[in-house]
Amino acid sequence: MSKATQQQTTDTHENANSVVVSSQPKKQSFISALGLDIGRKRIGVAGCDGTGLIASGLTTIERKSFELDLAQLKHLAKERHVQLLVVGLPYSMDGSLGKQAQEIQKLATRYAQALQLSLEYVDERLTSFQAEQLLHSQNISPSRNKGLIDRKAAALILQQWLDERRTSLAAQRKSEKKLPF
């Protein structure tokens, strides 16, 4: 079940999966996105290469206030020519959205609106656990590297979105080739 959605609206639109602040359909190969793993104390931030193939951790923002956190995100967005925020939503194991997920949606929407960026969500269940396992496999102590876990989790979130996007675009191209014109 894909939580990423395609951006094809003509005005600002909001639902559980995306907030689109775009005026035209986007059909492009270049993508610049920031992946965010928003927690109570920190925000893990990841970016992708322009081709949309590889996500990597960029930084961890120690949360202080909305304005200070936004200033750091704004700097990254400007520096990297970001077009989109991809935010991990912590769905419950039964697939429902709990209180924490709803809080993250509100905060992510505020960030996206302040940055004037499109917003999409990805199911982030177990990404922090996966990030910790990656650290263990590299003989790095997760308890001493919380910021690194957040960055790696953000990279996993963004990579999942990139992979879903690539699969969706490939399927779309394939179906377009089948249409007789």
Side-chain angles (χ1 to χ4, degrees):
M1 168 174 47
S2 170
K3 298 293 178 195
T5 58
Q6 295 299 312
Q7 303 170 39
Q8 295 186 3
T9 61
T10 56
D11 58 345
T12 302
H13 171 70
E14 184 175 341
N15 66 31
N17 291 330
S18 67
V19 174
V20 179
V21 191
S22 172
S23 59
Q24 297 178 10
K26 291 186 178 181
K27 193 170 184 180
Q28 60 199 34
S29 57
F30 174 84
I31 186 71
S32 182
L34 283 183
L36 303 180
D37 179 34
I38 301 174
R40 295 192 201 301
K41 296 179 181 180
R42 290 173 301 278
I43 302 171
V45 183
C48 61
D49 65 334
T51 63
L53 292 175
I54 300 169
S56 57
L58 297 176
T59 189
T60 302
I61 298 172
E62 296 292 331
R63 290 190 56 193
K64 294 182 174 111
S65 70
F66 178 80
E67 292 77 19
L68 291 173
D69 302 344
L70 177 63
Q72 291 183 62
L73 289 171
K74 193 176 283 190
H75 173 75
L76 284 167
K78 184 177 180 182
E79 179 180 80
R80 299 181 64 85
H81 306 287
V82 171
Q83 304 158 312
L84 170 76
L85 292 180
V86 177
V87 176
L89 265 187
Y91 284 81
S92 300
M93 292 314 262
D94 67 3
S96 64
L97 288 177
K99 185 178 178 183
Q100 183 182 4
Q102 292 169 354
E103 290 174 16
I104 288 172
Q105 282 181 313
K106 288 178 190 175
L107 184 58
T109 298
R110 287 181 67 197
Y111 287 142
Q113 289 173 343
L115 296 168
Q116 297 180 331
L117 294 173
S118 297
L119 170 63
E120 294 190 22
Y121 296 102
V122 170
D123 183 343
E124 72 154 15
R125 281 181 280 193
L126 304 176
T127 55
S128 292
F129 176 76
Q130 289 172 323
E132 285 184 31
Q133 294 305 306
L134 286 171
L135 291 182
H136 279 299
S137 71
Q138 297 169 346
N139 292 324
I140 299 172
S141 170
S143 61
R144 295 182 186 173
N145 294 284
K146 297 292 187 186
L148 184 56
I149 291 171
D150 296 327
R151 279 193 302 278
K152 285 194 177 288
L156 289 167
I157 288 164
L158 184 54
Q159 189 65 56
Q160 179 182 333
W161 182 86
L162 290 169
D163 293 346
E164 289 173 358
R165 175 182 178 267
R166 195 169 38 258
T167 301
S168 175
L169 288 174
Q172 184 179 13
R173 285 186 196 116
K174 187 176 180 180
S175 70
E176 287 173 358
K177 287 181 183 178
K178 291 182 179 180
L179 295 175
F181 283 46

